[in-house]
Amino acid sequence: MTGKPGLFISFEGGEGSGKSTQIRSLEKWFQDSGHEVVVTREPGGSPGAEEIRNLLLTGDPGRWDAVTEAFLMFASRRDHVERTIRPALADGKVVLCDRFADSSVAYQGYGHSLGADYIRNLWALAIGEFKPDLTLVFDLPIEIGLERAGARFANVSAAEDRFERMGTEFHQRLRNGFREIAASEPKRCRVIDATGDIDTVTQRVINTVKDSLVGQGR
Ligand code: TYD
């Protein structure tokens, strides 16, 4: 990638898919090959966006209606893109982002049934054509994901668990949504089988990233 602009990779999937752990492994993999890496997340990733994150992830599951929630997601995303992601890419860095706009398509579009087109329109209004170079979609059966997420959140006191507490049907729509997103943009999006142990999934991630970078001529 030397001499080329930076690389933007987003990590997507339902609850408990293990993507946060895999981001750390990929961060190390890029660093070991001499790249500067920025790890960031959504909602959040810049001071203003982190403030919006707090509004979004705490409180009652019905705290926001779906449209308000979608606008808050894109308000935070706009700030994050302008103040964190674009500057890092301009410096030639690798940006690894825990969730990005595909999460809005999946959660607000499919999960809350606003529809993918509605969210894609908001996407265009907020950040134009900007999108990741590569999106890894971590896929696993929802029972396994919710069990993993439940174990994690049982240990957190000020739980950011508004979304985990939405019903099973919501999570099933979410999984289907992510799969449809991946199928509609097969060049940018790669599905990662997130079942199995951490090392096995890490190997799948690295193989997929290598393959995709070669495919993109990087
Ligand atoms: P987080 O604690 O970061 O969860 P996870 O480890 O699952 O990524 O919380 C982010 C939550 O916000 C998660 O439940 C997904 C949801 N979300 C949306 O609904 N829309 C979005 O656009 C984004 C970025 C996240």
Side-chain angles (χ1 to χ4, degrees):
M1 280 174 288
T2 321
K4 292 195 177 175
L7 177 70
F8 180 26
I9 303 180
S10 63
F11 290 64
E12 298 283 5
E15 310 298 324
S17 57
K19 58 190 169 41
S20 307
T21 309
Q22 297 303 330
I23 287 178
R24 293 297 162 190
S25 305
L26 196 60
E27 177 188 24
K28 186 168 181 313
W29 185 77
F30 273 115
Q31 284 170 338
D32 288 349
S33 51
H35 297 286
E36 265 198 84
V37 185
V38 172
V39 174
T40 186
R41 67 166 179 187
E42 290 207 342
S46 62
E50 288 289 329
E51 288 192 43
I52 301 174
R53 176 186 175 91
N54 192 39
L55 295 174
L56 280 162
L57 299 194
T58 61
D60 201 71
R63 180 178 187 184
W64 306 109
D65 89 318
V67 173
T68 311
E69 187 172 274
F71 274 77
L72 285 170
M73 289 292 177
F74 276 99
S76 70
R77 180 162 300 124
R78 166 86 195 174
D79 196 67
H80 182 212
V81 167
E82 293 306 310
R83 293 171 196 243
T84 302
I85 300 177
R86 278 194 205 274
L89 294 176
D91 278 351
K93 293 176 184 162
V94 174
V95 176
L96 304 180
C97 192
D98 192 343
R99 297 194 181 283
F100 193 66
D102 295 300
S103 272
S104 295
V105 178
Y107 278 77
Q108 282 68 49
Y110 286 87
H112 286 317
S113 307
L114 287 181
D117 287 348
Y118 183 94
I119 302 297
R120 290 198 170 104
N121 285 336
L122 264 185
W123 181 334
L125 279 174
I127 54 171
E129 300 276 294
F130 188 82
K131 60 170 87 162
D133 299 301
L134 169 64
T135 295
L136 302 173
V137 177
F138 289 76
D139 181 65
L140 85 170
I142 61 166
E143 313 81 58
I144 302 179
L146 289 174
E147 201 182 300
R148 286 187 191 169
R152 177 162 58 106
F153 277 90
N155 300 321
V156 178
S157 52
E160 289 183 327
D161 64 350
R162 227 185 108 234
F163 286 94
E164 279 79 359
R165 291 187 285 117
M166 290 174 184
T168 310
E169 281 175 21
F170 175 87
H171 290 285
Q172 193 58 58
R173 283 200 297 281
L174 204 60
R175 185 181 189 204
N176 297 342
F178 274 124
R179 290 172 151 194
E180 281 187 32
I181 292 166
S184 71
E185 279 189 80
K187 266 202 173 148
R188 174 173 69 87
C189 302
R190 301 290 190 95
V191 177
I192 304 281
D193 173 1
T195 59
D197 61 51
I198 292 176
D199 291 346
T200 306
V201 180
T202 301
Q203 207 45 57
R204 288 178 192 140
V205 168
I206 289 172
N207 290 343
T208 303
V209 169
K210 278 187 190 161
D211 184 60
S212 168
L213 293 182
V214 169
Q216 294 185 24
R218 289 195 183 242

